[in-house]
Amino acid sequence: MIGEVSSVTSQVATTNSSTSKLNMDKDAFLKIFLAQLQYQDPLNPANGTEFIAELAQFGMLEQLANLADALNQLLQFEQKAQAASLIGKTVKIAGNGNSLVEGLVSAVRWSGGRVTLVVNDQEYDPAAVIEVK
């Protein structure tokens, strides 16, 4: 029975990967793991080592997800710190089209995970800064 679940899973993965990238999260992993437990043949149970390996994989998946979250938070903090370090400095910013805006960074705003610099009472993306004086 485990072979049947595995073959169905591989068929779904093959189908989904051709249309879009398969995103396997821990909930999907647990569903597959529980399906394997539920449909195994009681007269021919799966090897305990296989289940331990799958649980280890689940633990690794969860730790990777936690690491990705921590790295994302660190990146957001770094972006805020870099933007805040520009307060009081004169910057040149690539504006709309070919225009350049030059002015003093008077503030930094954070809204919904987005960081903007306030220059000449206008908000600009820090990625548009081309020169700092």
Side-chain angles (χ1 to χ4, degrees):
M1 290 291 172
I2 291 176
E4 291 173 333
V5 172
S6 298
S7 68
V8 168
T9 303
S10 65
Q11 288 174 359
V12 168
T14 302
T15 303
N16 287 344
S17 66
S18 64
T19 57
S20 65
K21 185 176 180 180
L22 180 64
N23 184 13
M24 176 111 170
D25 61 356
K26 60 185 176 182
D27 292 332
F29 184 89
L30 278 177
K31 287 178 185 177
I32 292 170
F33 183 70
L34 289 175
Q36 287 177 341
L37 285 174
Q38 183 178 3
Y39 293 109
Q40 73 174 329
D41 184 1
L43 300 176
N44 187 17
N47 185 355
T49 307
E50 292 174 18
F51 286 118
I52 291 172
E54 289 180 6
L55 285 173
Q57 287 175 347
F58 175 71
M60 287 175 50
L61 176 67
E62 188 166 5
Q63 289 303 315
L64 283 172
N66 292 341
L67 181 61
D69 289 342
L71 285 174
N72 191 24
Q73 289 174 354
L74 181 63
L75 176 64
Q76 288 177 357
F77 176 77
E78 181 66 25
Q79 288 173 337
K80 289 177 181 180
Q82 285 180 351
S85 72
L86 295 175
I87 294 176
K89 295 189 178 177
T90 302
V91 295
K92 278 188 185 176
I93 298 176
N96 297 336
N98 292 330
S99 67
L100 288 177
V101 175
E102 185 170 347
L104 189 70
V105 178
S106 59
V108 175
R109 292 196 178 126
W110 296 280
S111 176
R114 185 171 169 250
V115 178
T116 57
L117 302 176
V118 178
V119 178
N120 303 331
D121 294 325
Q122 295 290 324
E123 291 187 23
Y124 297 96
D125 184 0
V129 173
I130 56 172
E131 184 178 301
V132 178
K133 294 181 184 179

